[in-house]
Amino acid sequence: MCSIYGTIGKNFKNIENIFSKELHHRGPDDCGIFYDNINSLSLGHTRLSIIDLSCHGHQPMLSNDCNYILTFNGEIYNYQEIKNDLISLGYNFTTNTDTEVILKSYIEFGKDCIKLFRGMFAFCIYDKLKKELFLARDRFGIKPLIYTFLDDQFIFCSELKPFLKSNFISKKLSHVALGQYFKYGSVSQPNTMLDGVYQLMPGYSM
């Protein structure tokens, strides 16, 4: 199943420990965290090994030049086809993962890489050259991606529970989401039950 999370901001002391603990059930096989202390950024991952069970599938995954860092949850069904195309363009691969295919697709095609992917996914790529995070979610919204802005700070995650456990956000209920729940029995995206916390819509990127 896997999970991903990340933060931008100087005030998130020990939040990585909280998120890793709360998301362990989604990825019991491995976990990893990438830090950029200069830009007060962190990216995390808990792994359920499905494709390439070796340690080579460890995430967050860094490009060879360390300019691009990826944390990814899901599966790209046509990754072998994309991989072959990238090899024909001169790319070399050191793993058998679809994770590496996503990373090198972004390096080659930028944000348009998501047009190539057939599968279920939620991922974040940190582009150090642009000083930018790029997040994307699959077209059917199979894989969750939840986020919030706190002034000039930012958090994203695969589940809502770590937000509650972190104590960095208000636990105020969303009146809109509550009304939807009582009326329809569910909460419509992009809303969540927490005020100011949202889901990235299926097929969207940010």
Side-chain angles (χ1 to χ4, degrees):
M1 186 160 51
C2 297
S3 69
I4 63 175
Y5 62 90
T7 66
I8 302 174
K10 297 180 179 180
N11 299 325
F12 299 127
K13 186 177 181 180
N14 297 324
I15 194 171
E16 298 87 0
N17 296 332
I18 297 169
F19 275 45
S20 293
K21 179 181 177 181
E22 295 300 324
L23 294 168
H24 176 74
H25 65 283
R26 295 181 65 95
D29 296 329
D30 190 20
C31 65
I33 301 174
F34 168 84
Y35 295 101
D36 183 340
N37 293 323
I38 295 176
N39 293 301
S40 302
L41 178 144
S42 68
L43 295 178
H45 186 267
T46 65
R47 184 186 183 200
L48 178 65
S49 302
I50 301 295
I51 299 177
D52 191 342
L53 306 185
S54 73
C55 62
H56 298 299
H58 178 78
Q59 294 188 52
M61 182 176 285
L62 280 66
S63 60
N64 294 334
D65 58 10
C66 297
N67 285 328
Y68 306 94
I69 300 92
L70 168 66
T71 183
F72 156 62
N73 171 30
E75 184 176 350
I76 306 301
Y77 305 140
N78 62 332
Y79 80 99
Q80 290 283 13
E81 175 186 337
I82 300 170
K83 181 178 182 178
N84 291 335
D85 291 341
L86 290 169
I87 290 172
S88 69
L89 292 173
Y91 285 87
N92 296 313
F93 287 81
T94 58
T95 77
N96 293 316
T97 65
D98 49 355
T99 308
E100 189 177 9
V101 171
I102 293 176
L103 189 58
K104 292 185 175 176
S105 294
Y106 178 85
I107 294 171
E108 177 64 26
F109 301 109
K111 299 173 184 178
D112 286 340
C113 68
I114 56 175
K115 298 177 182 178
L116 303 173
F117 304 145
R118 302 291 179 265
M120 51 181 181
F121 57 83
F123 67 79
C124 175
I125 294 177
Y126 175 32
D127 187 329
K128 293 177 71 174
L129 300 178
K130 294 181 179 179
K131 294 185 178 180
E132 180 178 271
L133 288 185
F134 176 61
L135 294 89
R137 192 177 180 203
D138 66 79
R139 295 167 183 81
F140 289 97
I142 298 172
K143 294 301 181 180
L145 189 50
I146 302 167
Y147 68 92
T148 188
F149 290 94
L150 303 171
D151 297 323
D152 59 346
Q153 301 177 103
F154 177 69
I155 310 174
F156 72 88
C157 185
S158 293
E159 287 189 5
L160 202 56
K161 186 177 178 182
F163 285 90
L164 292 169
K165 291 288 186 177
S166 70
N167 293 321
F168 284 101
I169 66 167
S170 168
K171 296 179 176 62
K172 181 181 177 182
L173 287 174
S174 165
H175 293 294
V176 173
L178 195 61
Q180 291 176 339
Y181 182 78
F182 283 129
K183 187 173 183 178
Y184 303 112
S186 62
V187 176
S188 299
Q189 301 178 67
N191 299 305
T192 72
M193 288 301 294
L194 294 179
D195 186 45
V197 180
Y198 303 99
Q199 300 182 66
L200 184 63
M201 293 291 285
Y204 276 58
S205 62
M206 65 183 293

